[in-house]
Amino acid sequence: MIPQVRAYFAATPPKARAALKKIRAAIRSVAPRAEEAFSYRIPAFKLRGRPLVWYAAFKNHCSLFPMTGAIRRKLATSLRGYEMSKGTVRLPLAKPIPVGLVKKLVKARMAETDQ
């Protein structure tokens, strides 16, 4: 873990930190060659020198960015019940982090960046 990401994790409350660790592990499991990064003041991963995903903790949720309209349409069934906006999927801290969904989202993002 790079120092900026370590500091970001340390500054988050325990529940959010645990969620971030699960998200980070899920990203790592499907994108083992991705490089850890820190940009826009949040943790990120780059793949082949290009941005792959960002993830962040907020008061009541964690977010995964960028989730394009194409990804949201492709995984609409899996995303049912999750709050979304133009570029993010919000994962509520009140529920367990859906590791399988995070992996699907990252795989879809990887496919998108390969084009």
Side-chain angles (χ1 to χ4, degrees):
M1 188 179 296
I2 64 173
Q4 299 96 323
V5 173
R6 189 175 295 115
Y8 183 90
F9 276 39
T12 60
K15 189 172 186 174
R17 186 177 321 123
L20 288 173
K21 286 179 180 181
K22 287 180 182 178
I23 293 168
R24 181 179 178 269
I27 296 166
R28 275 258 179 252
S29 74
V30 296
R33 293 191 175 146
E35 299 173 48
E36 204 148 29
F38 193 80
S39 86
Y40 298 107
R41 299 187 305 178
I42 59 174
F45 280 94
K46 290 182 178 183
L47 189 59
R48 293 183 293 282
R50 296 191 325 225
L52 178 62
V53 292
W54 287 263
Y55 59 109
F58 298 91
K59 184 177 179 181
N60 297 311
H61 69 277
C62 287
S63 286
L64 191 60
F65 314 86
M67 293 300 128
T68 62
I71 291 173
R72 290 192 315 274
R73 284 187 298 277
K74 180 180 178 183
L75 298 175
T77 302
S78 298
L79 289 167
R80 194 169 289 131
Y82 290 95
E83 189 178 331
M84 292 175 275
S85 68
K86 185 176 178 182
T88 185
V89 173
R90 293 182 185 97
L91 309 170
L93 292 174
K95 297 180 181 179
I97 293 298
V99 172
L101 176 59
V102 171
K103 289 178 180 183
K104 281 183 189 179
L105 290 165
V106 174
K107 285 179 185 177
R109 179 72 181 133
M110 289 170 65
E112 200 171 68
T113 62
D114 282 343
Q115 296 177 359

